[in-house]
């Protein structure tokens, strides 16, 4: 799927596929520098992080395994409440394992802070966070994010794994939706 397939539905491209690719290359270098050849378990949060996982993991020199979690945040509409339910748990035991959470976006940070507390209780060797996108709201919660791709304005974005009502995840870029798509 590309820009021509969603003509009129995307208001503007915020971050192009090329920009994402270039930034992920830099992030992979940062991550490699941190782990210094130690093994890491990449934990992707479904469904949004699939693109980031696939692309970032292939740029790492660090030996990596992948695992996935699916969580659902109770809340109204697009705002998360911080009350989280596990829909799919990790398949592996992370005790004494270097864990790197891979996220598509951190908005309120509530989902992530819950996830960190949950994974910490399993006593991993280390727990770090990488996200492609971060919104300004995230600054309000006490969550340290180790690797951030892009800080973006407080706008609803789609593409590169991010959806609106399940759509637009497969776009290779990150963009904002035209108001008429929201029914506006
Ligand atoms: P929060 O950080 O707990 O507010 O929730 C983050 C989750 O909300 C992300 O994993 C996304 O699934 C979703 N989300 C937040 N902002 C956006 C956006 O701009 N577009 C699409 N999904 C978003
Ligand atoms: Mg997510």
């Amino acid at each position: 799927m590309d820009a021509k397939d969603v003509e009129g539905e995307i208001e503007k491209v915020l971050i192009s596929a090329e920009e994402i690719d270039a930034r992920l290359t830099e992030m992979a270098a940062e991550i490699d520098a941190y782990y210094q050849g130690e093994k890491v378990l990449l934990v992707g949060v479904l469904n949004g992080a699939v693109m980031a996982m696939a692309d970032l993991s292939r740029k790492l020199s660090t030996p990596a395994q992948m695992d996935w979690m699916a969580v659902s945040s109770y809340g109204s509409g697009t705002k998360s409440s911080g009350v989280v339910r596990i829909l799919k748990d990790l398949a592996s035991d992370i005790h004494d394992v270097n864990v790197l959470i891979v996220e598509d976006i951190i908005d309120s940070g509530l989902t992530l802070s819950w996830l960190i507390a949950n994974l910490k209780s399993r006593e991993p060797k280390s727990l770090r966070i990488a996200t492609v996108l971060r919104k300004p709201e995230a600054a309000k919660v006490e969550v340290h994010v180790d690797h951030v791709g892009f800080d973006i304005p407080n706008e609803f974005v789609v593409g590169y794994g991010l959806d609106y009502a399940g759509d637009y995840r497969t776009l290779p870029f990150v963009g904002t939706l035209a108001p008429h798509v929201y029914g506006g």
Side-chain angles (χ1 to χ4, degrees):
M1 194 185 220
D2 213 333
K4 65 178 184 320
D5 303 307
V6 288
E7 244 187 284
E9 294 164 65
I10 298 295
E11 188 159 73
K12 65 172 185 289
V13 176
L14 220 59
I15 309 166
S16 70
E18 293 73 22
E19 288 169 322
I20 295 169
D21 185 70
R23 183 67 192 116
L24 289 183
T25 300
E26 294 174 352
M27 288 173 77
E30 292 170 21
I31 293 165
D32 285 337
Y34 179 80
Y35 290 108
Q36 305 247 332
E38 264 194 62
K39 215 169 159 174
V40 67
L41 178 71
L42 307 174
V43 170
V45 184
L46 294 169
N47 295 317
V50 285
M51 308 296 175
M53 267 288 252
D55 291 342
L56 183 64
S57 65
R58 284 178 293 173
K59 290 177 184 288
L60 292 175
S61 299
T62 304
Q65 295 190 358
M66 284 183 194
D67 205 341
W68 302 91
M69 267 184 98
V71 295
S72 142
S73 160
Y74 290 108
S76 54
T78 55
K79 279 276 160 249
S80 69
S81 61
V83 183
V84 176
R85 184 165 56 110
I86 297 179
L87 302 178
K88 186 222 169 290
D89 206 344
L90 294 175
S92 50
D93 179 6
I94 61 167
H95 184 259
D96 220 19
V97 167
N98 292 312
V99 174
L100 178 65
I101 298 174
V102 178
E103 266 283 25
D104 47 355
I105 191 166
I106 302 169
D107 182 7
S108 72
L110 290 170
T111 307
L112 185 64
S113 53
W114 181 91
L115 195 60
I116 289 168
N118 184 285
L119 295 187
K120 265 193 180 154
S121 73
R122 308 181 198 193
E123 302 181 322
K125 185 173 182 185
S126 66
L127 181 61
R128 287 170 68 89
I129 298 102
T131 186
V132 180
L133 305 172
R134 181 172 64 181
K135 288 190 188 175
E137 284 283 307
K140 292 183 194 165
V141 291
E142 296 281 307
V143 170
H144 177 72
V145 184
D146 303 281
H147 305 280
V148 179
F150 302 90
D151 278 300
I152 61 166
N154 200 13
E155 288 180 277
F156 192 80
V157 292
V158 294
Y160 203 69
L162 293 161
D163 71 302
Y164 171 65
D167 293 327
Y168 306 106
R169 278 194 208 279
T170 59
L171 284 171
F173 58 83
V174 174
T176 55
L177 277 178
H180 74 84
V181 180
Y182 296 97

